[in-house]
Structures are given as structure tokens and as C-alpha cells.
Amino acid sequence: MTRIILIQNGASETAVEYLAQSALKVKNSTITVIADQIPVASDNRIEWLSSTNSSISACIRRAAKAANEDRLMFMDARLSVTAAAMAGMAAYINAQPDGTFSYVPLSVDGELMELGDLGEDSLVPFLSSTPALPLMAIGISRDMILRSANLRGETLTEVLTELLVKSILACDEIAAYGDALKISAEMAATLTLSSAASARTLRTVVDSCNIEELFPQHNWSQHSKESAAACYHTLAATFIKFGDAESATECLKLGDTLEESPRSLALRGLIARERGEVLGAVANMISSLQQYELRKKNEEGESHYIAFEPSNAEQVESELRAGLAALNKRDNEGAMQHFMTAVFKFDAFYKDCGIEQ
């Protein structure tokens, strides 16, 4: 049997009731509804859970714990789904083997929203791109949810993304249902994680994996320390993009134990800028540029894994002079912007990581 768990998630009471009645028509299924309020005259064939005074993650764990079925189907009650369509999805989910995360693709104005081929090595770029996630109807094992004791998502999309990530880390298969559900562009816009949610999800990934598994493309055999440092710099840049300075700083501390890099100094400058510490940002950017120059010249004859060479040295020099002139005029904000521009022109890494000047 399949347990169908409907989650109100902002849907009207009428929409929840319609979907619940459709679910009752699905053979070999039991129904749970997570709603803001439990109706006074509720159908006794439906198990109701109130989300009042409970987080969505806690409600999902409660629903899973109370279920007797091995396979659970979660559905956002904002979806408009017929009983026949729901029966098809439930049958598909129930037929999947253990260790499978199933989902129903979504269609927005004729364009398909799907997850594609995801694995440990693609999780960081996937989350960094902040995609709209087709996670309004998913199937997952009860055991996976019960093993996910530290769910911390604050929205339904974030919790389901956490479960997707945990499934990928457990090497579960990601299976897509054959028919997509149509949704509006307005609804699709609600399926993107916030910056804070993206940072929390990325933190889950980092805390659960070895760095080599997340970034297998690096040259671990010949440059293990610099490869690891490069990975921590990428993670720090991504956390900075999401506004999580604390996690970014932790990554930089780890990277600094492995390599002295101009990227670490520049990233610390970006963190200082976000904290309003202008002079600290200026000092870090200047130190970063000095280190970039040393690495470019390779004065000590060292062979580094990553080489730095600006695409336009004249522009870098121009921004550097402008920054020094601004400092002489005590225009610290202007100096910071010029030095930052010089760093960004020296190394495309920051732009590639999605950091805005």
C-alpha cells in the first residue's frame, strides 16, 4: 500500500478538501493531511495532523512515524490533480524498489522542470545555481525520513530538497514519473530555495561528504593539498553568495591549513565588505593582489596546481592605480571597489562562482 500525505502549504481549505477526496478514490492507499487546522467535521478515513505550532520538518517526521507503509507519497496541496492522475502517480511510486527517490516532473508554459542526472559530484554546482525544484509530488521510503533526524528546512520545498540530497548521498536512484504536471509560472517561482535555505542545504552536503567526493575532477593524486584548498575556496565563495559568512569563514580556515592562496584573502575581503568593515576589505584585497602577482611571476620557482594570469593586465593595473589614488584621498569605499574590480579581473573564479561586485 501507499501512504499519500497531502500538505496544505498555503493552499485553500477548499483545495485541500478536493485533493483529499481525490486521494480517497485511489485504491490500496491511506491518506494523511497536514493542514493548518483540523476540520471540525473531518472524514474518519483521513488522518489529520495540525501544523499549528510545529515546523514543516517536524510535521513530515510525525506523519512518517505514524505511517505503517514502507513507501510514502508527499504532495503539495496547491496542485490540481484528478483521482485518476493521482492513482497513476501512487502506483508508480509504490512500484519503485527500496533506495529510490521518485518525483513527478512539472511543466511550466510548455517547459519541463526536472532534476536531471544528479550525483554527489554535481550537488554543489546544482545547489549553487539556485534552480526551481520540481518537488511538489515525490515518493520516498519511510525509513529514509526516520533516519533523517536533523531535518532543518523551514519550507516544504527546503525539506523535500533536504530529503533529495540525503537520498543522493545514500546513493539512491532518482526516478522521474513519465507524465509531468502543469503548474503556473507564479507557482514555479515559489519552488526556488532562498539564499538562507540554499546555504543550510549546502551545509548538509558539506557535513555529510568527503571533499574528494564532491569535487572528483581535481588532481587529487598529484596536488592533494592544493586541490582540497581549491574546493574549500569554491565552497566559501558559494556560502558568501548565499550570505552565510560563518560557514564561509570555516571553509577558509580549512583551506588556509593547506595552502596560502590569494583567493582566501580576497574571499575574506568580501566577507569584511558584507560586514561593513571597509578598511578590512581594502587590506585583504591589497594583500590578495600582491599574492596574485607573486603567483603569476612564480618567483620562487614553485609548481602550483592552479596558475593565475590576468586576461587583461592593463585593466588590472589601471584599477590598482585608481584604488591607490582613492586611498590617498581617504575614499575608502572607492578604493575598495577599485581593488575588488582588479581582483575580479585578475581571476575569473569569483564571477564563475556567482559573486556580484
Side-chain angles (χ1 to χ4, degrees):
M1 293 183 68
T2 301
R3 169 76 60 163
I4 300 175
I5 301 173
L6 309 177
I7 304 169
Q8 186 167 7
N9 197 34
S12 67
E13 293 181 5
T14 302
V16 172
E17 180 63 27
Y18 169 80
L19 207 59
Q21 292 302 316
S22 295
L24 286 172
K25 298 175 185 177
V26 178
K27 292 182 180 180
N28 299 319
S29 65
T30 51
I31 316 301
T32 298
V33 177
I34 299 173
D36 299 338
Q37 300 291 335
I38 299 175
V40 175
S42 58
D43 193 315
N44 60 13
R45 294 173 296 173
I46 300 173
E47 294 184 18
W48 292 83
L49 289 176
S50 173
S51 57
T52 303
N53 300 322
S54 294
S55 66
I56 187 62
S57 54
C59 287
I60 285 176
R61 281 187 54 81
R62 282 169 55 201
K65 195 171 183 179
N68 295 318
E69 297 80 5
D70 293 330
R71 302 291 299 169
L72 308 179
M73 174 179 172
F74 290 92
M75 181 173 292
D76 191 320
R78 295 177 299 163
L79 286 168
S80 179
V81 182
T82 65
M86 196 182 299
M89 291 184 283
Y92 174 79
I93 287 170
N94 195 45
Q96 299 306 305
D98 290 339
T100 302
F101 181 100
S102 311
Y103 76 99
V104 180
L106 303 174
S107 176
V108 185
D109 297 331
E111 293 189 13
L112 193 64
M113 286 175 59
E114 54 187 345
L115 293 174
D117 187 18
L118 288 176
E120 285 182 333
D121 60 339
S122 57
L123 276 176
V124 173
F126 175 73
L127 293 172
S128 300
S129 66
T130 57
L133 295 149
L135 300 176
M136 297 188 76
I138 68 116
I140 193 169
S141 70
R142 174 177 179 268
D143 182 62
M144 172 57 78
I145 296 177
L146 295 183
R147 285 189 283 118
S148 303
N150 59 339
L151 290 175
R152 48 191 170 186
E154 297 181 0
T155 66
L156 178 59
T157 297
E158 184 182 354
V159 174
L160 297 185
T161 303
E162 279 188 273
L163 292 173
L164 168 65
V165 165
K166 289 178 180 293
S167 295
I168 292 171
L169 297 179
C171 298
D172 288 353
E173 181 183 351
I174 309 301
Y177 184 59
D179 296 325
L181 292 173
K182 292 183 180 180
I183 63 170
S184 67
E186 291 76 17
M187 189 175 293
T190 69
L191 301 177
T192 301
L193 295 179
S194 67
S195 292
S198 296
R200 285 192 292 268
T201 307
L202 181 59
R203 188 61 187 255
T204 295
V205 172
V206 175
D207 289 345
S208 305
C209 283
N210 293 323
I211 198 77
E212 297 91 342
E213 296 167 338
L214 294 177
F215 299 92
Q217 72 275 18
H218 283 291
N219 189 346
W220 293 100
S221 60
Q222 296 181 349
H223 297 280
S224 59
K225 287 188 176 181
E226 287 193 38
S227 291
C231 297
Y232 286 121
H233 296 154
T234 297
L235 290 171
T238 307
F239 280 122
I240 289 171
K241 173 186 172 183
F242 291 146
D244 185 351
E246 182 179 348
S247 294
T249 301
E250 288 181 20
C251 290
L252 292 176
K253 287 179 180 178
L254 290 169
D256 288 348
T257 64
L258 300 162
E259 179 196 23
E260 188 176 357
S261 170
R263 285 180 178 173
S264 179
L265 290 164
L267 291 168
R268 289 182 183 279
L270 291 170
I271 292 172
R273 178 189 67 165
E274 292 304 311
R275 289 174 171 167
E277 301 167 0
V278 178
L279 287 177
V282 168
N284 276 290
M285 289 297 172
I286 291 174
S287 296
S288 174
L289 285 167
Q290 291 171 338
Q291 206 167 102
Y292 269 120
E293 280 294 330
L294 289 174
R295 285 283 290 267
K296 183 187 73 171
K297 295 175 183 177
N298 203 19
E299 291 178 339
E300 298 179 1
E302 297 178 353
S303 176
H304 287 280
Y305 172 44
I306 298 177
F308 300 117
E309 187 71 36
S311 57
N312 192 319
E314 292 182 1
Q315 289 183 357
V316 172
E317 185 64 28
S318 175
E319 292 293 341
L320 181 58
R321 287 197 300 269
L324 292 172
L327 272 184
N328 289 332
K329 296 177 183 178
R330 297 185 178 180
D331 178 9
N332 297 328
E333 287 279 354
M336 178 182 67
Q337 289 300 324
H338 285 297
F339 292 135
M340 191 179 306
T341 300
V343 167
F344 276 51
K345 288 185 178 297
F346 210 117
D347 188 354
F349 165 78
Y350 310 95
K351 183 178 179 181
D352 291 343
C353 288
I355 295 179
E356 301 286 341
Q357 280 186 249

